[in-house]
Amino acid sequence: MRIMIIKYSFWNYERFFKSNHPEYATIRNLISLNASHDFILIGQGRRYEHFRIGNTQIYNLGYSDGNKFSYLLYLFVKLLLPIFMRPSIILDMCVRDLIPTAFASRVLRAKLISLIGSEIWYELSFIPKPLKKIYKSLLRVAFHASNTILAISESVRKELIEDFAISPKKVIVYRYKVSEIFNPYVSKDLKKKLNPNGPIVLTVCRISPQKGLEYLIEAALILVQKFPNIKFVIKAYSSIPNYRRKLLKLINDHNLQRYFKIIEEFSSYEEIPKYMSAADVFVLPSISEGLGLVILEAMACGVPVIGSRMGGISDVIVNNYNGLLVQPRNVQDLANAIIAVLSNENLRCVLSNGALLTSIHAKQNELSSLLTKLIFT
């Protein structure tokens, strides 16, 4: 049997073999559990490349962010490649580009499993207004063409059922397994380097509009009055240039340069636990979030977490038990929550203990076993 797996980002040879990131670990486990079958992995990449590892062929199609012609070519190749390679099963991990995959699966009569890892309304926000209705209609057809849809959270499942009229029986909520590298015993030595004399407010994310980082910057204006030695650390694994420039301008306009440290040198996924353990509180002020895996990773390190009361974040955070929920886009609410955590040691202990208990269950999730069951039944 030939199984094709399509994802939004590129397949990196070294990451594929060594990374503890749950996406890579899940696919590795899936291939390992089904070693007698052929796998084809399709990703973006900055240039076209093809290599083979055992029973697995890997293609990066060379799509470049921001280049419309490159994106259209990527979609065209994404449509043709499944038809040419003729897989029996297609697993698509990118909702925004699902339409050509669904068409190809219909032509091939292949089983299609769609994995939805983000809120669909946010993905639709990237589509030009004149095309949005048409695109949403085509996306509805693509969802109905899927044999099974895996939704990252209950909120995404609800969106599929209510906005796209998908049968509840077709939609299954899945969770990635949190890696064992996230634990409360990771060295806290990095704190001495980042901010030895004051609290650290940490965010780990892609620098993109959905993360709502401008609200954290606005909240910082309130927080620096109460905590003069506070440091806001944003550990970014990638960024959208225009949005990044907007944030830097906002920081400069408010004279907050000494309070913010934006780290964009992302060498490996394995370095993130060191930042988590150095933090006094982890904050994710998103305006859209499928789940917010980083929240579960911070919890596994015993760090108190604060997140927006929306999307999948509300599935993970139980207010005043394992974290605090705040209203999205509400600067004062966000500032008050951070003040509460940094000022109250008892609250920090309660949230930390609740977070660790929550993370025990998160480390037991096993998506690769679920995928194996769906593929072969």
Side-chain angles (χ1 to χ4, degrees), residues 151-158 173-175 289-291 295-296 299 308-318 322 325 358:
I152 189 71
S153 64
E154 288 292 346
S155 67
V156 173
R157 182 176 187 270
K158 183 179 178 182
V173 174
Y174 77 95
R175 292 283 169 83
E289 199 70 56
L291 177 68
I295 286 179
L296 285 167
M299 286 182 175
S308 300
R309 191 189 299 273
M310 44 68 60
I313 294 176
S314 298
D315 288 359
V316 175
I317 295 179
V318 179
N322 59 7
L325 289 168
T358 301

Side-chain angles (χ1 to χ4, degrees), residues 43-266:
Q44 281 186 2
R46 294 177 180 86
R47 64 184 184 278
Y48 175 82
E49 57 185 350
H50 168 236
F51 51 96
R52 188 180 186 99
I53 308 167
N55 65 331
T56 305
Q57 293 189 68
I58 299 176
Y59 293 86
N60 287 317
L61 300 183
Y63 159 54
S64 174
D65 271 332
N67 186 319
K68 291 181 181 178
F69 175 77
S70 175
Y71 181 63
L72 290 173
L73 183 62
Y74 159 74
L75 290 180
F76 183 66
V77 174
K78 190 179 172 185
L79 169 65
L80 290 183
L81 203 56
I83 295 173
F84 177 73
M85 303 294 290
R86 306 192 70 80
S88 305
I89 310 286
I90 302 176
L91 169 63
D92 197 309
M93 304 170 74
C94 180
V95 60
R96 202 184 307 172
D97 305 332
L98 181 62
I99 294 166
T101 307
F103 180 81
S105 72
R106 281 287 182 92
V107 171
L108 296 169
R109 298 182 182 275
K111 180 186 284 189
L112 175 61
I113 301 171
S114 302
L115 192 149
I116 313 300
S118 57
E119 291 188 294
I120 303 160
W121 72 264
Y122 183 77
E123 296 292 339
L124 287 171
S125 69
F126 290 93
I127 307 301
K129 282 188 178 180
L131 300 176
K132 194 165 289 187
K133 280 190 177 180
I134 297 171
Y135 185 88
K136 189 172 181 180
S137 297
L138 290 172
L139 195 57
R140 182 181 286 108
V141 172
F143 287 143
H144 281 275
S146 302
N147 296 80
T148 304
I149 301 175
L150 299 178
I152 189 71
S153 64
E154 288 292 346
S155 67
V156 173
R157 182 176 187 270
K158 183 179 178 182
E159 189 178 8
L160 284 161
I161 294 167
E162 294 182 357
D163 294 354
F164 293 89
I166 306 299
S167 168
K169 294 180 180 179
K170 185 183 278 193
V171 188
I172 301 170
V173 174
Y174 77 95
R175 292 283 169 83
Y176 282 119
K177 182 178 181 179
V178 173
S179 172
E180 294 293 340
I181 65 173
F182 294 93
N183 61 75
Y185 308 109
V186 177
S187 170
K188 300 183 184 297
D189 289 347
L190 188 60
K191 180 173 174 61
K192 298 173 186 175
K193 179 181 177 182
L194 293 174
N195 195 28
N197 301 315
I200 294 173
V201 178
L202 175 69
T203 302
V204 178
C205 66
R206 185 183 191 212
I207 296 179
S208 67
Q210 80 176 101
K211 301 303 178 182
L213 295 173
E214 62 267 40
Y215 304 106
L216 179 61
I217 294 169
E218 296 288 353
L221 282 172
I222 301 169
L223 291 159
V224 297
Q225 304 301 318
K226 189 168 181 65
F227 305 100
N229 294 322
I230 196 170
K231 181 73 77 173
F232 298 87
V233 177
I234 299 173
K235 178 66 174 166
Y237 50 83
S238 65
S239 65
I240 294 177
N242 288 343
Y243 184 66
R244 179 182 176 277
R245 284 192 289 270
K246 174 186 173 180
L247 295 182
L248 291 176
K249 184 178 185 302
L250 195 59
I251 290 169
N252 290 334
D253 289 348
H254 291 321
N255 294 315
L256 292 170
Q257 298 93 322
R258 64 181 285 250
Y259 298 104
F260 275 85
K261 187 175 183 65
I262 299 177
I263 304 168
E264 295 185 80
E265 304 85 18
F266 196 87

Side-chain angles (χ1 to χ4, degrees), residues 3-62:
I3 301 160
M4 178 173 282
I5 302 173
I6 303 171
K7 70 192 284 284
Y8 183 70
S9 55
F10 69 105
W11 294 101
N12 177 285
Y13 185 92
E14 186 171 343
R15 285 185 195 171
F16 182 75
F17 275 109
K18 297 180 180 179
S19 177
N20 287 290
H21 190 283
E23 191 173 82
Y24 287 97
T26 295
I27 301 305
R28 277 201 310 269
N29 290 341
L30 179 64
I31 292 171
S32 175
L33 287 169
N34 303 283
S36 61
H37 300 282
D38 292 328
F39 285 83
I40 305 163
L41 309 185
I42 309 293
Q44 281 186 2
R46 294 177 180 86
R47 64 184 184 278
Y48 175 82
E49 57 185 350
H50 168 236
F51 51 96
R52 188 180 186 99
I53 308 167
N55 65 331
T56 305
Q57 293 189 68
I58 299 176
Y59 293 86
N60 287 317
L61 300 183

